[in-house]
């Protein structure tokens, strides 16, 4: 069966179109494979840096937390007999918030930290290397969720040392506050326990973040390469 000239032209045109589509698909697959390889390498490089930093460079730190609750009873002289109960409650709340903030500052003062250092050095040989500056750096106090509870955090590369420091600060401040106010305003509600997991670094968080950064870096790099004039 012979084909007419018009039929032969149609077949040739269809064949060329099919070859162009196949070539275009092949180029797309090659580009996709090339871009995927670039992105994969960026992810591997970023993850490797993150892994090395996490396990070989970053200093492992542990956080131990003890908690105390601050009580407050306003002085009788501060209230008048004709004041309504709502006013008394407001004054009590304001006074309690003020004293919690004051105690938070006092715990971190040199008056308390110096006593903490003395007691640690007298009981533990490892504490002889701790300076007052180290205690300022490694002790932190926060108010728990707008309550009258103070969280005393201690940080150290040794989890046992962190727990000892937090409990020592709590004990010394409790005694100090009782002598200062002549009242028992501090109630210890939680002793610091030896932490099982470090508070820094965060391996899962760091590695997950490095994967995202690697992916975005690879994506930007492939876009730059594709737009670069050949």
């Amino acid at each position: 069966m012979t084909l007419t000239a018009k039929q032969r032209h149609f077949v040739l045109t269809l064949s060329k179109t099919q070859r162009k589509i196949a070539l275009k698909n092949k180029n797309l697959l090659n580009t996709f494979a090339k871009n995927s390889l670039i992105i994969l390498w960026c992810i591997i490089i970023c993850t490797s840096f993150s892994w090395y930093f996490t396990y070989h460079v970053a200093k492992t730190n542990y956080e131990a937390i003890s908690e105390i609750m601050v009580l407050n009873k306003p002085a009788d002289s501060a209230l008048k007999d004709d004041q309504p109960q709502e006013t008394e409650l407001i004054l009590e709340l304001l006074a309690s918030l003020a004293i919690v903030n004051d105690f938070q500052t006092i715990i971190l003062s040199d008056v308390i930290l110096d006593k903490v250092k003395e007691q640690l050095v007298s009981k533990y040989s490892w504490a002889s290397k701790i300076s007052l500056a180290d205690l300022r750096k490694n002790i932190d106090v926060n108010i728990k969720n707008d309550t009258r509870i103070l969280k005393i955090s201690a940080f150290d590369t040794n989890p046992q040392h962190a727990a000892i420091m937090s409990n020592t600060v709590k004990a010394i401040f409790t005694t100090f506050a009782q002598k200062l106010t002549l009242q028992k305003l501090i109630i210890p509600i939680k002793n610091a326990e030896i932490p099982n997991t470090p508070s820094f670094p965060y391996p899962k968080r760091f590695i997950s973040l490095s994967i995202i950064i690697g992916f975005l870096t690879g994506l930007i790099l492939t876009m730059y390469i594709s737009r670069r004039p050949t």
Side-chain angles (χ1 to χ4, degrees), residues 10-199:
F10 175 76
V11 170
L12 289 172
T13 304
L14 181 63
S15 178
K16 287 180 181 179
T17 304
Q18 289 176 339
R19 284 199 299 269
K20 285 181 180 179
I21 293 173
L23 183 62
K24 185 177 181 180
N25 290 337
K26 184 178 180 181
N27 289 336
L28 286 174
L29 287 174
N30 289 336
T31 303
F32 177 77
K34 182 181 177 182
N35 291 346
S36 299
L37 190 62
I38 292 172
I39 292 173
L40 181 62
W41 270 110
C42 288
I43 292 174
I44 291 173
I45 291 171
C46 289
T47 306
S48 299
F49 274 116
S50 177
W51 179 86
Y52 181 78
F53 172 79
T54 302
Y55 292 101
H56 295 280
V57 177
K59 182 188 280 189
T60 303
N61 230 7
Y62 293 86
E63 180 185 12
I65 302 174
S66 61
E67 294 181 355
I68 58 175
M69 183 173 183
V70 181
L71 301 179
N72 179 73
K73 294 181 180 179
D76 295 337
S77 58
L79 300 174
K80 296 180 180 179
D81 295 336
D82 57 346
Q83 287 180 321
Q85 188 176 359
E86 291 78 5
T87 305
E88 181 177 344
L89 180 60
I90 292 171
L91 288 175
E92 183 176 351
L93 290 173
L94 290 174
S96 64
L97 290 175
I99 198 169
V100 168
N101 287 322
D102 290 342
F103 280 175
Q104 182 184 21
T105 304
I106 292 172
I107 293 174
L108 296 173
S109 68
D110 289 351
V111 175
I112 299 298
L113 296 183
D114 194 50
K115 292 180 183 295
V116 171
K117 182 178 180 301
E118 288 178 7
Q119 184 164 319
L120 289 174
V121 170
S122 66
K123 289 185 175 182
Y124 308 100
S125 58
W126 53 264
S128 59
K129 297 179 181 179
I130 297 178
S131 64
L132 202 58
D134 293 330
L135 286 177
R136 292 193 201 101
K137 181 181 177 182
N138 296 323
I139 301 293
D140 193 22
V141 181
N142 294 293
I143 301 172
K144 186 176 181 179
N145 300 329
D146 297 325
T147 64
R148 289 182 292 175
I149 296 175
L150 290 173
K151 296 170 60 178
I152 303 172
S153 301
F155 301 88
D156 197 89
T157 54
N158 185 307
Q160 187 176 7
H161 295 177
I164 290 172
M165 286 194 294
S166 179
N167 287 327
T168 302
V169 172
K170 175 176 64 69
I172 286 178
F173 178 71
T174 301
T175 304
F176 175 84
Q178 190 167 351
K179 290 180 179 179
L180 181 68
T181 61
L182 300 178
Q183 300 179 63
K184 192 174 181 180
L185 296 180
I186 302 297
I187 299 179
I189 60 175
K190 178 187 174 184
N191 289 326
E193 299 178 352
I194 299 174
N196 296 319
T197 56
S199 59

